[in-house]
Amino acid sequence: MAEAQPATLLPRAEWTTRADLTGLVEALGSGHARYVGGAVRDTLLGLPVKDIDVATDLLPAVVIARLEEAGIRSVPTGIEHGTVTAVLPGGPVEITTLRHDVSTDGRRATVAFANDWRDDAARRDFTINALYAQPETGAIDDWFGGLADLAERRVRFIGDPHERICEDHLRILRYFRFQARFGSLPADEAAEQACSELAATLKGLSRERIAMELLNLLALPDPAAAVARMAELGVLVVILPEARADALPALIAAETSQGIAPDAIRRLAAMLPPEPPVVEQVAARLRLSTASRKRLATAAGRTDGIDDPRALAYRLGHEEALDRLLIAGADTAPLRGWDIPRLPIKGGDIVARGIKAGPEVARTLRVVEDRWIAEGFPDEARTRALLDDVLRAG
């Protein structure tokens, strides 16, 4: 079995001191578990860790048996791929048996279980994701220069980029997401060339996978440079031909200056033309949720002029108003801490004033509502005065 020489130690972090993780490692047995992937990478960068993944040279059946013996509940969440989830007090932990690829077709891989840690590392996408930490000592196993790449903020495929992308075409989009999150310029030339040359292979992936990766990219703090590079290299046009990458920087600047959290759907809306039929087609093609489709359609109805922010929020909804205002670079301060009010009168109030129930009541209510909005949402007394004015006017 090939063994890597430890290059450095995993820094102490909150998650590394969890008693339930120590119990998990002890249940699997000395030398049979190593932390891997994002938890190791992000801890080395001093970033918060959300998910913890463990690699093991034990077969799934043995993992389940040892967890059961230790009183740890497990769920076979991906047993066919060697993944068992340990349900721990501090949060679930995925435990995956070492694997190597038997065959790949760009969309899925057939894998076989392995017992060589380096073989498992070799099938991962980027060097910075192939770092393994030994729980007992904190020693980092690094077979492909991931530590150096992490220090240089360099996103680099393991081995030949063409081969890695041909194994899984989605790695093209993952590359740009990781470049936006961890990378620096100049980017890895071989990676960019491979992404450009193989961009057309993205057409063979499901729309759901494309949408998930695209939205994950757009949700990052500042993906503008990565998205612009996708456009330059001919990747963006394959997955989203309607999009304009140059619309992102202004929106991100507006979000940042006004303290608004990044939002993937808002950023997607900014990249798409203000043409509802086009946006509807994109939303359907990407299999977006009903709520996301609604937001995109509402944003597509934007015009050059900006209405009063509160009036906009009343008519469209708070989130939808934020989308339009930020895309236009307008001030969102009037909406900060403001709750959308309800019109203080109803149709019954108009009927009580002698108007017969029917279209006339609805028309009258709309006129009062328009004046109520124009006056800045006054109280009930003023709203009833507005109703008097409307009724007097016939």
Side-chain angles (χ1 to χ4, degrees):
M1 181 187 298
E3 287 293 337
Q5 293 300 314
T8 188
L9 297 180
L10 185 70
R12 184 182 176 87
E14 183 178 352
W15 69 271
T16 64
T17 63
R18 281 174 46 180
D20 56 352
L21 274 180
T22 300
L24 174 66
V25 171
E26 291 175 350
L28 294 175
S30 178
H32 291 297
R34 297 183 193 181
Y35 302 127
V36 65
V40 177
R41 178 198 65 222
D42 292 351
T43 300
L44 288 166
L45 290 173
L47 300 174
V49 170
K50 295 182 180 178
D51 301 315
I52 300 168
D53 294 307
V54 169
T56 182
D57 57 355
L58 301 174
L59 293 174
V62 177
V63 171
I64 293 172
R66 293 195 180 186
L67 293 182
E68 183 178 1
E69 184 178 349
I72 300 173
R73 188 166 77 88
S74 65
V75 180
T77 46
I79 197 72
E80 67 279 8
H81 300 296
T83 300
V84 175
T85 298
V87 182
L88 302 179
V93 173
E94 287 194 350
I95 307 164
T96 303
T97 300
L98 303 182
R99 300 171 295 180
H100 64 83
D101 290 337
V102 175
S103 64
T104 59
D105 63 4
R107 293 176 296 173
R108 61 185 68 83
T110 300
V111 299
F113 298 137
N115 57 10
D116 189 316
W117 298 93
R118 189 184 188 284
D119 283 351
D120 189 71
R123 68 179 301 275
R124 296 178 180 270
D125 48 12
F126 308 116
T127 61
I128 61 175
N129 291 338
L131 299 171
Y132 295 63
Q134 300 176 25
E136 296 87 354
T137 64
I140 304 289
D141 298 323
D142 175 20
W143 290 275
F144 302 105
L147 287 169
D149 287 340
L150 205 58
E152 295 295 325
R153 291 285 184 158
R154 180 171 51 239
V155 180
R156 187 168 58 88
F157 283 98
I158 294 173
D160 180 68
H162 281 80
E163 291 181 7
R164 307 324 306 273
I165 291 173
C166 287
E167 292 168 356
D168 183 353
H169 305 322
L170 195 65
R171 284 173 173 164
I172 295 174
L173 299 187
R174 281 177 58 81
Y175 168 77
F176 289 103
R177 175 161 66 86
F178 275 77
Q179 180 65 24
R181 187 179 178 198
F182 301 111
S184 63
L185 297 176
D188 185 74
E189 185 177 347
E192 285 199 337
Q193 182 178 351
C195 288
S196 179
E197 292 175 355
L198 296 171
T201 63
L202 289 167
K203 295 178 181 178
L205 297 178
S206 72
R207 298 300 93 187
E208 290 87 351
R209 293 187 74 194
I210 292 289
M212 178 187 69
E213 199 60 48
L214 176 63
L215 294 178
N216 284 341
L217 166 62
L218 293 178
L220 293 175
D222 189 357
V227 174
R229 196 63 180 142
M230 287 171 64
E232 293 168 7
L233 294 172
V235 174
L236 187 63
V237 71
V238 174
I239 62 169
L240 206 62
E242 303 87 350
R244 288 177 47 243
D246 59 3
L248 269 184
L251 170 59
I252 292 172
E255 290 173 338
T256 303
S257 65
Q258 299 187 51
I260 305 294
D263 186 281
I265 294 298
R266 180 188 306 128
R267 290 171 172 184
L268 177 59
M271 294 169 63
L272 297 175
E275 301 171 18
V278 173
V279 170
E280 288 284 356
Q281 290 175 5
V282 171
R285 190 171 74 233
L286 294 179
R287 310 283 201 276
L288 299 181
S289 68
T290 300
S292 294
R293 292 186 186 198
K294 176 179 177 292
R295 281 183 64 191
L296 286 179
T298 302
R302 63 188 182 272
T303 58
D304 292 336
I306 289 295
D307 297 329
D308 171 73
R310 291 184 173 180
L312 197 64
Y314 177 79
R315 295 193 183 280
L316 301 181
H318 189 276
E319 197 169 43
E320 288 78 2
L322 276 180
D323 291 344
R324 282 204 186 178
L325 292 168
L326 288 166
I327 290 172
D331 186 15
T332 63
L335 300 185
R336 201 167 298 139
W338 182 73
D339 295 324
I340 298 175
R342 289 177 175 271
L343 181 65
I345 66 169
K346 298 180 180 179
D349 297 299
I350 299 173
V351 173
R353 298 294 299 275
I355 303 298
K356 184 178 179 180
E360 187 61 23
V361 170
R363 187 197 67 80
T364 302
L365 195 63
R366 283 196 300 271
V367 174
V368 173
E369 184 179 46
D370 287 343
R371 293 186 58 179
W372 175 70
I373 294 171
E375 287 197 10
F377 311 97
D379 61 16
E380 182 176 349
R382 175 56 186 159
T383 306
R384 291 189 178 278
L386 291 175
L387 174 59
D388 291 340
D389 292 344
V390 171
L391 292 177
R392 278 196 297 269

